[in-house]
């Protein structure tokens, strides 16, 4: 695929970017260089290479997923200006 100034103008318009006419040709050259580099990457033999999320071989520590309330309800409610029966009391939003 080859990128020309007309395509750069269209991409800039769709991206809502203001690009001066004098910058269209240099941007087209830069985009063509990027596309050429991507084509080179497609030539790399990746047969037998597992997909990776990171270049380092580390595993994520996994802990047992236990649901709890933190057992600090009273400490949390101590910050509230008003509580009732273990709950926050808020002013009415709708009459």
């Amino acid at each position: 695929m080859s990128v020309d100034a007309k395509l750069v103008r269209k991409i800039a318009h769709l991206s809502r970017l203001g690009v001066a006419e004098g910058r269209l040709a240099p941007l087209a050259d830069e985009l063509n260089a990027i596309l050429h580099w991507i084509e080179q990457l497609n030539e790399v033999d990746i047969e037998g290479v597992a997909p990776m999320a990171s270049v380092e071989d580390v595993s994520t520590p996994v802990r047992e997923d236990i649901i709890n309330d933190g057992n600090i309800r009273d400490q949390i409610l101590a910050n509230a200006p008003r509580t009732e029966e273990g709950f926050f009391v808020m002013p009415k939003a709708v009459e």
Side-chain angles (χ1 to χ4, degrees), residues 11-33:
I11 293 169
H13 173 73
L14 293 173
S15 302
R16 304 295 190 256
L17 298 173
V19 178
E21 286 293 320
R23 288 287 300 142
L24 293 176
L27 281 174
D29 293 339
E30 289 179 31
L31 289 172
N32 281 319

Side-chain angles (χ1 to χ4, degrees), residues 60-81:
T60 305
V62 180
R63 62 175 172 79
E64 189 176 346
D65 192 12
I66 301 172
I67 299 172
N68 65 43
D69 63 0
N71 297 322
I72 57 170
R73 181 185 74 176
D74 294 334
Q75 292 174 5
I76 293 171
L77 291 175
N79 295 319

Side-chain angles (χ1 to χ4, degrees), residues 1 30-43:
M1 177 179 189
E30 289 179 31
L31 289 172
N32 281 319
I34 292 169
L35 291 174
H36 177 70
W37 182 73
I38 292 171
E39 287 175 5
Q40 287 179 335
L41 287 177
N42 286 332
E43 296 173 7

Side-chain angles (χ1 to χ4, degrees), residues 44-52 54:
V44 175
D45 180 22
I46 57 169
E47 188 67 35
V49 178
M52 302 183 325
S54 173

Side-chain angles (χ1 to χ4, degrees), residues 18 33 59 80:
S59 60

